[in-house]
Amino acid sequence: MFINFLFFTLQGLISITISAVLPTLRPPPCPTQVNCKEASALQLWVLYISLLLSSLGSGGIRPCVVTFAADQFDMTKSSAAARSWNLFNWYYFSMGMATLTALTFVVYIQDNVGWGWGLGVPTIAMALSIIAFLVGSPLYNNIKPAGSPLVRLAQVIVAAVKKRKEVVPENPALLYENRELDAAISLHGRLVHTNQFNHATDSKPPNLWKLATVHRVEELKCIIRMLPIWAAGIALIATSSHLHSFTVLQARSMERHLSHSFQIPPASMSIFGNITMLVGLVMYERLFVPFARRFTGNPSGITCLQRMGVGFVVNILVTVVASFVEIKRKAVAADHNLLDDPKAIIPISIFWLVPQFFLHGVADVFISVGHLEFLYDQSPESMRSTAAALYWIAISMGNYIGTLMVSLVHKYSGKKSNWLPDRNLNRGRLEYYYWLVSGIQVINLLYYVICSWLYTYKPLEEVSEICKEEDKEVLAGDKIPSMILDSTNAHGEVELGRNETA
């Protein structure tokens, strides 16, 4: 099992490294004595197509990598509680290591060796990842797909509309369940009824567009319950997007020398947040969880929702600290009469920006990992890749909304005293933007607290619990057909077997 995970982690680590390094790859500045040629239309098309292919590849890998890795382990509650480590912590740790490699080793090659090797190294690494994937493929535990989850959701919606006038029975035992029909989409346990009606007395296979089982109805309800929590993550990403834009502009105007000949690249400041996240994940796993477990009794220390809530609070501190740093930066610029010189290097250390990156790394330990684990844990078993895709969709939507926020603030904050001016950040009001973002995050936090308070966790009856229930019924003399898990076959695929007892 660990060999499977090792191969898969290696492949995923390299793939994520490629995704992380592509935005950083950039040609070195053109020397003044060299006549630089503008890129031709063909060269631009090659660049755009490569970026498009990278996006398509990331869209295929990222939603599946964590769920496929989880398939290599027993993720039932009892098994997860017995482990001393959390899969999602280590998955995010691997992502952080990949990003750190991209921002240091690969960028160093790009800047000091050449543009060709800057692209060549990721190409070679991607080829190695394909080899690692092919070598490890026979060892993986592969679960066969059981149809489109989107079709099942649509079937439940259509069936619910058709039966909207039906009366819900008081006895939940009258609701329609078919374990054999749902076996392929409930390998580890079935979702139990909460408060919705479907009923049948015919033993023939039902028309799923007219009649849905309890398990399939609960799949849809799980997704609906998750959406408000998921939406809170979109607003969080939108209000954090400035770390990749305005912070870089601030860094360019600050003193960046570590020695007479070496200075920190502005875009490399995110390394501090990345390192903090890596160290924080280890400390969370080894120190915080055992400490919190003594008080909460929860094997994970705290719940996913509590973990996300801490991340929301810390992320508010990020923008508050960022606003005070900007005030300090402009005050130093004013003292040295540099406010009207957008290209001037203000005599203030770039390390003033480190605290906000430190806090952002701490926030990632809580919010990013907690959000991903929440979506995986609370999604239906057959829709976990879809839930992981929602995580990355939230990040994409948040970045687009963040860009829209910047555009609106730039447009409507005035021409004379624009908060986000085009050319001279020293004459802007960037701290006002940070305060605006902080206010939005406070509102988002209140929204999240309300959603968390009202949230109902997924009602799951695991396979072990079902077997105990069936054993009792067998002893009573009933004939109970059930679906159980057999051992994996020679190809590592999980097979289902029908066990009829009398």
Side-chain angles (χ1 to χ4, degrees):
M1 180 170 63
F2 281 97
I3 296 178
N4 300 12
F5 184 65
L6 179 63
F7 276 109
F8 189 73
T9 300
L10 175 62
Q11 191 271 340
L13 183 66
I14 297 175
S15 300
I16 295 169
T17 304
I18 307 307
S19 301
V21 75
L22 278 175
T24 68
L25 291 175
R26 59 197 185 282
C30 182
T32 55
Q33 67 270 23
V34 178
N35 294 323
C36 294
K37 295 182 180 180
E38 184 178 355
S40 65
L42 177 61
Q43 291 171 325
L44 289 176
W45 272 109
V46 171
L47 173 64
Y48 295 150
I49 291 174
S50 67
L51 294 175
L52 175 62
L53 292 175
S54 173
S55 299
L56 292 175
S58 297
I61 293 173
R62 292 190 174 186
C64 301
V65 63
V66 66
T67 54
F68 190 78
D71 287 342
Q72 311 310 306
F73 300 93
D74 182 1
M75 295 299 290
T76 58
K77 293 180 182 179
S78 57
S79 177
R83 284 197 294 265
S84 61
W85 52 273
N86 185 306
L87 172 66
F88 300 94
N89 286 338
W90 289 107
Y91 165 74
Y92 218 83
F93 183 88
S94 299
M95 286 183 58
M97 287 298 298
T99 303
L100 185 63
T101 302
L103 294 175
T104 53
F105 174 70
V106 179
V107 171
Y108 177 83
I109 292 177
Q110 166 207 331
D111 289 339
N112 295 275
V113 178
W115 181 241
W117 278 106
L119 289 172
V121 168
T123 303
I124 295 172
M126 196 66 219
L128 293 176
S129 76
I130 295 174
I131 295 174
F133 181 80
L134 294 176
V135 171
S137 291
L139 304 174
Y140 297 148
N141 292 324
N142 297 312
I143 299 178
K144 293 182 179 180
S148 170
L150 299 181
V151 171
R152 289 199 302 276
L153 295 180
Q155 287 174 337
V156 173
I157 293 173
V158 172
V161 171
K162 290 181 177 180
K163 293 185 174 291
R164 63 187 180 277
K165 296 182 180 180
E166 297 286 346
V167 179
V168 179
E170 295 182 1
N171 185 3
L174 297 177
L175 299 176
Y176 177 59
E177 293 195 31
N178 189 323
R179 297 180 186 178
E180 186 172 351
L181 179 65
D182 294 335
I185 59 174
S186 58
L187 297 179
H188 301 296
R190 65 183 181 188
L191 295 170
V192 297
H193 168 69
T194 52
N195 189 22
Q196 197 165 3
F197 170 67
N198 280 297
H199 174 63
T201 57
D202 192 356
S203 60
K204 296 180 181 180
N207 182 348
L208 294 177
W209 293 97
K210 296 181 179 180
L211 181 66
T213 65
V214 169
H215 181 87
R216 293 169 186 249
V217 171
E218 293 300 325
E219 282 188 329
L220 176 60
K221 292 162 71 174
C222 282
I223 297 296
I224 293 174
R225 281 194 296 264
M226 288 165 49
L227 290 180
I229 303 291
W230 169 76
I234 298 177
L236 181 76
I237 297 299
T239 53
S240 302
S241 57
H242 65 271
L243 281 174
H244 307 292
S245 55
F246 296 121
T247 306
V248 175
L249 295 178
Q250 290 173 288
R252 285 178 179 173
S253 69
M254 303 171 78
E255 178 56 50
R256 296 182 280 119
H257 282 89
L258 290 182
S259 65
H260 179 71
S261 58
F262 179 78
Q263 58 181 353
I264 301 175
S268 296
M269 289 300 294
S270 57
I271 291 177
F272 292 101
N274 192 263
I275 294 175
T276 301
M277 186 265 291
L278 293 174
V279 175
L281 283 172
V282 176
M283 295 180 65
Y284 183 93
E285 184 83 38
R286 298 305 176 189
L287 299 179
F288 177 79
V289 171
F291 175 78
R293 189 184 296 151
R294 297 178 182 178
F295 301 95
T296 63
N298 189 324
S300 300
I302 56 178
T303 66
C304 296
L305 292 178
Q306 291 170 338
R307 184 173 185 174
M308 291 173 63
V310 174
F312 277 106
V313 174
V314 176
N315 213 69
I316 294 174
L317 298 178
V318 173
T319 50
V320 172
V321 170
S323 66
F324 286 115
V325 171
E326 174 62 8
I327 292 173
K328 174 66 177 178
R329 188 191 70 86
K330 290 201 301 182
V332 174
D335 291 341
H336 292 79
N337 298 318
L338 297 175
L339 288 177
D340 294 317
D341 187 356
K343 297 182 179 180
I345 302 299
I346 302 171
I348 178 175
S349 174
I350 194 175
F351 288 102
W352 277 84
L353 297 174
V354 170
Q356 64 195 69
F357 281 100
F358 169 79
L359 289 172
H360 185 72
V362 173
D364 267 345
V365 172
F366 287 89
I367 182 65
S368 297
V369 183
H371 194 189
L372 182 60
E373 185 175 5
F374 167 79
L375 291 173
Y376 177 90
D377 182 66
Q378 292 300 300
S379 64
E381 177 185 328
S382 60
M383 299 185 188
R384 283 170 174 165
S385 293
T386 304
L390 286 176
Y391 172 80
W392 295 108
I393 290 174
I395 293 177
S396 300
M397 293 178 64
N399 283 317
Y400 279 115
I401 294 175
T403 302
L404 177 62
M405 286 172 54
V406 170
S407 300
L408 293 176
V409 169
H410 175 73
K411 182 177 180 179
Y412 294 106
S413 59
K415 295 182 179 180
K416 294 183 178 179
S417 59
N418 196 294
W419 292 8
L420 308 173
D422 288 324
R423 304 184 181 210
N424 190 357
L425 190 64
N426 298 333
R427 285 297 183 183
R429 294 291 186 270
L430 182 57
E431 66 273 17
Y432 289 178
Y433 175 78
Y434 286 150
W435 291 341
L436 171 65
V437 167
S438 299
I440 295 174
Q441 289 191 56
V442 170
I443 297 173
N444 189 49
L445 175 61
L446 295 175
Y447 162 79
Y448 173 78
V449 170
I450 294 173
C451 292
S452 301
W453 182 57
L454 296 175
Y455 185 78
T456 301
Y457 282 91
K458 178 177 68 176
L460 179 66
E461 185 179 29
E462 293 190 341
V463 171
S464 59
E465 298 171 343
I466 297 174
C467 292
K468 291 179 181 179
E469 177 186 336
E470 292 181 351
D471 289 342
K472 294 179 181 179
E473 295 176 348
V474 168
L475 293 176
D478 296 327
K479 184 178 180 180
I480 307 295
S482 63
M483 303 302 296
I484 62 172
L485 289 176
D486 286 344
S487 59
T488 57
N489 58 24
H491 302 288
E493 297 173 340
V494 176
E495 293 183 334
L496 293 171
R498 186 163 184 252
N499 178 32
E500 295 197 6
T501 57

